[in-house]
Amino acid sequence: MKTFDVIIIGAGSIGVPLSFYLAKKGLKVAVLEKLASEGRGQNRAAIGGIRATHSDPAKIKICQLSIDILKKFKEEHGKEIDWVQGGYLYPVYDERTEKALKQLLVKQKKFSLNNDWIDAERVNELVPGISIKDLRGGTFSPEDGSCSPLKVIGAYFFLSEKEGVEFYFNEEVTSIEKENGKITSVTTNKDKYSAGIIINAAGAYAKEIGRLAGQDIPVNPDCHEAGITEPVQQFFKPMVVDIRPDEQSLNYYFYQNKEGQVVFCITPKPPILGTDTDNTSVFLPLVIKRMLSLYPRLRNLRIRRTWRGLYPMTPDGFPIVGYTKEIDNLFLAVGMCGQGFMLGPGLGLIASEIIADKSEKYNFITEQLSLYRNFTGAEMLK
Ligand SMILES: Cc1cc2nc3c(=O)[nH]c(=O)nc-3n(C[C@H](O)[C@H](O)[C@H](O)COP(=O)(O)OP(=O)(O)OC[C@H]3O[C@@H](n4cnc5c(N)ncnc54)[C@H](O)[C@@H]3O)c2cc1C
């Protein structure tokens, strides 16, 4: 049996950065991944948006840390991750949305978030040519941005291996053995492992890992589709998020990445539950109609590729982070919903301090994101 200080199940948006920060603190870390390489689960489905402008203290703190890490990443580690600080823009066309976003601003200001109401003229400067009919203004947070999910996870994988993390690919965790409220070993289709601490970072399959450990974890995946265009000269910078719902969808969002490609995504209504990741024929007609009516300048862009992935959803839209009460040495970093990519670096660093240094600095995070909360709240912008 191979023995480590920490075993992480899942080499995804959370597992890979976390492995790096734990190894940097001197721990012997193994990552078990059922797929052939890092980031092949939902990390590669993410479109790359990163914002700290959430509505709750835990996610705000984690993502502020992520932004801090990612904006200095190239300088610190010499790896290109395509960080662009283009901000997040929520254009507003009706009174209801204006009221909701202005209420949220009051909350966000309490956390010193740099997010403000801007007038219609400024919206049009940031996204030149955006539909101005009924445009009332919007909120804009200039410190948010975007990165390439593929480059970020590739960079963390490189750094983790350099710190001595052992990755075991094509190894699916198939059973978890326990004794006296502790996990004693983790078995894959190929081998058996033991460690002082086991971390469930299995994303959309966190519930299955929970089941193997005899624990109910309320993470259920739903499906979202995304697409990317050919690259063109930069013509707008922010992530544009239109939160008005229509009959078949809730919000949709898009931005132009560092290579000039427009990347976009929509939230279907009602949600499509399950783990099917085949493309659908309804996605493009739905999202393109809405994007063109908001931003007609996109009309001549050719779409290169679409894909479909999973949001690992919790009932209230917030992640689950922390040790479990029933199993002493099991730590959960699951239920990232639509924000696991942006949470990954900050959460990796924070969880490494909780696990390796037994830091109590982040108790407010593990309390808010506890498995034992009642899940009756609702994240405003999930
Ligand atoms: C279309 C789309 C757009 C998105 N856009 C964004 C965005 O702009 N910004 C953002 O922050 N987030 C975005 N997301 C959400 C983001 O992709 C997820 O929240 C995030 O990837 C989840 O991270 P994770 O580490 O929990 O899961 P993953 O990255 O999926 O990692 C979990 C890993 O665990 C492995 N695993 C599972 N079961 C086992 C097992 N039994 N044994 C071994 N390994 C196992 C999986 O194979 C997987 O590699 C988007 C998602 C979609 C679908």
Side-chain angles (χ1 to χ4, degrees):
M1 184 147 63
K2 296 184 178 113
T3 303
F4 296 87
D5 295 322
V6 182
I7 288 172
I8 301 174
I9 303 171
S13 306
I14 304 299
V16 178
L18 176 53
S19 75
F20 167 64
Y21 294 113
L22 286 169
K24 248 184 106 179
K25 288 186 178 292
L27 297 184
K28 192 175 173 217
V29 183
V31 182
L32 310 179
E33 169 56 56
K34 68 177 173 182
L35 300 175
S37 66
E38 76 283 1
R40 283 210 178 194
Q42 303 321 310
N43 183 82
R44 72 170 175 180
I47 71 164
I50 295 159
R51 65 183 161 98
T53 41
H54 300 284
S55 60
D56 66 286
K59 274 167 63 185
I60 290 173
K61 178 70 202 169
I62 297 169
C63 288
Q64 279 176 327
L65 206 51
S66 287
I67 290 177
D68 211 42
I69 293 168
L70 293 169
K71 71 179 182 203
K72 296 186 206 138
F73 202 91
K74 190 174 173 191
E75 195 186 316
E76 210 161 294
H77 303 292
K79 294 273 170 203
E80 179 59 74
I81 53 164
D82 289 355
W83 166 250
V84 178
Q85 201 150 31
Y88 263 60
L89 171 72
Y90 290 69
V92 171
Y93 291 87
D94 59 77
E95 199 183 334
R96 201 166 143 254
T97 311
E98 179 172 341
K99 219 169 137 193
L101 287 179
K102 282 186 169 167
Q103 266 170 9
L104 182 59
L105 272 182
V106 175
K107 220 170 171 185
Q108 290 174 333
K109 288 279 178 205
K110 288 194 189 134
F111 298 105
S112 314
L113 283 169
N114 183 358
N115 196 11
D116 272 306
W117 180 260
I118 54 172
D119 62 17
E121 202 180 320
R122 177 79 180 122
V123 172
N124 194 29
E125 264 168 36
L126 289 164
V127 187
I130 193 168
S131 168
I132 49 168
K133 186 172 176 299
D134 301 326
L135 180 62
R136 304 164 78 93
T139 60
F140 180 57
S141 52
E143 288 176 39
D144 294 333
S146 62
C147 272
S148 158
L150 304 183
K151 290 185 182 174
V152 170
I153 202 146
Y156 269 114
F157 174 64
F158 174 87
L159 296 171
S160 296
E161 278 209 310
K162 232 169 97 184
E163 288 292 336
V165 175
E166 293 183 29
F167 285 84
Y168 295 90
F169 292 118
N170 293 310
E171 291 215 29
E172 177 165 1
V173 172
T174 51
S175 73
I176 292 177
E177 296 74 36
K178 288 186 301 181
E179 227 177 270
N180 301 327
K182 260 187 120 144
I183 295 176
T184 49
S185 61
V186 174
T187 307
T188 70
N189 51 328
K190 289 192 184 153
D191 223 326
K192 210 173 176 103
Y193 302 83
S194 74
I197 290 165
I198 313 296
I199 301 176
N200 180 351
Y205 300 91
K207 199 185 188 84
E208 277 65 41
I209 297 299
R211 208 172 282 143
L212 295 179
Q215 200 168 42
D216 183 30
I217 298 175
V219 173
N220 292 295
D222 67 19
C223 313
H224 292 248
E225 272 177 281
I228 189 163
T229 70
E230 62 188 336
V232 291
Q233 205 174 6
Q234 203 76 38
F235 61 106
F236 70 106
K237 258 185 130 180
M239 174 75 79
V240 180
V241 189
D242 183 356
I243 63 169
R244 290 170 295 172
D246 74 356
E247 302 78 47
Q248 292 169 285
S249 53
L250 295 172
N251 59 357
Y252 63 100
Y253 45 101
F254 58 91
Y255 75 106
Q256 197 176 11
N257 68 16
K258 199 167 186 178
E259 296 184 358
Q261 298 165 290
V262 176
V263 203
F264 54 95
C265 186
I266 197 162
T267 304
K269 185 174 99 182
I272 306 168
L273 305 179
T275 54
D276 184 2
T277 50
D278 279 348
N279 283 111
T280 69
S281 56
V282 293
F283 167 63
L284 279 181
L286 181 68
V287 71
I288 296 307
K289 193 173 88 194
R290 293 195 64 186
M291 280 168 67
L292 291 189
S293 103
L294 183 82
Y295 199 18
R297 272 186 88 184
L298 300 168
R299 69 187 171 278
N300 290 323
L301 286 179
R302 281 172 298 196
I303 292 162
R304 276 211 170 149
R305 189 166 76 81
T306 63
W307 64 91
R308 187 170 170 207
L310 311 172
Y311 280 16
M313 292 305 294
T314 58
D316 58 4
F318 293 106
I320 301 171
V321 176
Y323 283 106
T324 68
K325 288 181 187 163
E326 300 80 7
I327 305 169
D328 281 356
N329 59 344
L330 177 61
F331 189 93
L332 305 177
V334 299
M336 299 298 144
C337 306
Q339 286 131 15
F341 171 61
M342 64 182 85
L343 290 161
L347 184 56
L349 184 57
I350 288 170
S352 76
E353 290 186 23
I354 298 172
I355 292 166
D357 309 335
K358 301 192 174 29
S359 166
E360 295 187 357
K361 197 160 87 185
Y362 298 112
N363 282 359
F364 74 97
I365 291 182
T366 47
E367 273 156 29
Q368 191 202 315
L369 304 181
S370 159
L371 171 66
Y372 308 98
R373 66 184 187 259
N374 59 21
F375 290 98
T376 52
E379 155 68 310
M380 263 190 87
L381 298 172
K382 64 187 165 189

